[in-house]
Amino acid sequence: EAQVTQNPRYLITVTGKKLTVTCSQNMNHEYMSWYRQDPGLGLRQIYYSMNVEVTDKGDVPEGYKVSRKEKRNFPLILESPSPNQTSLYFCASSLSTRDYEQYFGPGTRLTVT
Amino acid sequence: LAKTTQPISMDSYEGQEVNITCSHNNIATNDYITWYQQFPSQGPRFIIQGYKTKVTNEVASLFIPADRKSSTLSLPRVSLSDTAVYYCLPWNAGNMLTFGGGTRLMVKP
């Protein structure tokens, strides 16, 4: 089944404890992206990647890191999480930059205390 | 970066046609316009995309005027299951993307 998977789905952590949210797609998509969703603010892009080893900042990159060493994986790293990073996170992918349909993962709900 | 403006919420009744308009005044020449649907606790789902004029698929139509500063998503004969949040997103994957706040559609029996 073609899909985007994220792990974990739920995470409660403490301030400053490094964490990684994994994202994987099995569709051989070139383009991948991370978003956060907060009430009243819609979906905001954190980072995106147009292909392996190519990443760029989105609208709200502060406090986050990403890497794209393989085509299928695009992990989101929070080196020192803070409470203002409590949010719902979505990973998405599309076939290429010329393909407008993004496929979204199920989301990761992160709480930082 | 194209900024979008949509109504915060809309109400409708089953069987009616619903039109949701999105304003994107500074859309770039290379941007396509995409629309997504999101149910609670799920990721957004792609509905339709277009560049100009009218596009229709099995679930919706998209109307884009010649100046492309707005677009209208049309949902024919909505049902209760169409209750969701709808987002427009100017798509240019070479640049950062920002969804607007979305329109919360409530379909009533």
Side-chain angles (χ1 to χ4, degrees), chain A residues 5-13 19-23 34 76 88-90 106-111:
Chain A
T5 57
Q6 295 179 227
N7 282 292
R9 294 289 313 280
Y10 303 91
L11 180 60
I12 300 174
T13 189
L19 66 92
T20 299
V21 183
T22 64
C23 172
W34 275 102
L76 179 70
L88 179 59
Y89 291 87
F90 289 103
T108 295
R109 188 166 293 281
L110 172 65
T111 302

Side-chain angles (χ1 to χ4, degrees), chain A residues 42-54:
Chain A
L43 287 136
R44 294 179 293 168
Q45 191 179 48
I46 304 171
Y47 271 95
Y48 62 98
S49 169
M50 289 191 279
N51 215 324
V52 176
E53 302 292 0
V54 179

Side-chain angles (χ1 to χ4, degrees), chain A residues 27-96:
Chain A
M27 296 170 279
N28 201 35
H29 284 177
E30 288 183 351
Y31 183 90
M32 297 187 75
S33 181
W34 275 102
Y35 298 89
R36 61 177 288 174
Q37 185 169 37
D38 303 288
L41 296 176
L43 287 136
R44 294 179 293 168
Q45 191 179 48
I46 304 171
Y47 271 95
Y48 62 98
S49 169
M50 289 191 279
N51 215 324
V52 176
E53 302 292 0
V54 179
T55 62
D56 281 292
K57 296 178 180 178
D59 202 14
V60 287
E62 295 77 22
Y64 304 94
K65 286 176 59 177
V66 293
S67 68
R68 188 90 183 273
K69 294 184 170 59
E70 308 163 281
K71 202 171 190 178
R72 64 183 296 128
N73 296 322
F74 191 44
L76 179 70
I77 303 157
L78 285 72
E79 296 256 348
S80 183
S82 63
N84 64 13
Q85 292 178 299
T86 292
S87 187
L88 179 59
Y89 291 87
F90 289 103
C91 180
S93 72
S94 69
L95 185 60
S96 73

Side-chain angles (χ1 to χ4, degrees), chain A residues 31 35 37 42-43 45 48 50 57-59 90 94 96-97 99-102 104-106, chain B residues 32 34 36 38 41-44 46 49 87 89 91 93-101:
Chain A
Y31 183 90
Y35 298 89
Q37 185 169 37
L43 287 136
Q45 191 179 48
Y48 62 98
M50 289 191 279
K57 296 178 180 178
D59 202 14
F90 289 103
S94 69
S96 73
T97 56
D99 191 328
Y100 318 106
E101 180 173 0
Q102 292 185 85
F104 280 79
Chain B
Y32 274 69
T34 59
Y36 286 78
Q38 186 180 27
S41 301
Q42 294 185 23
F46 174 84
Q49 64 88 13
Y87 295 92
L89 172 68
W91 170 267
N95 299 308
M96 71 174 78
L97 305 173
T98 298
F99 287 78

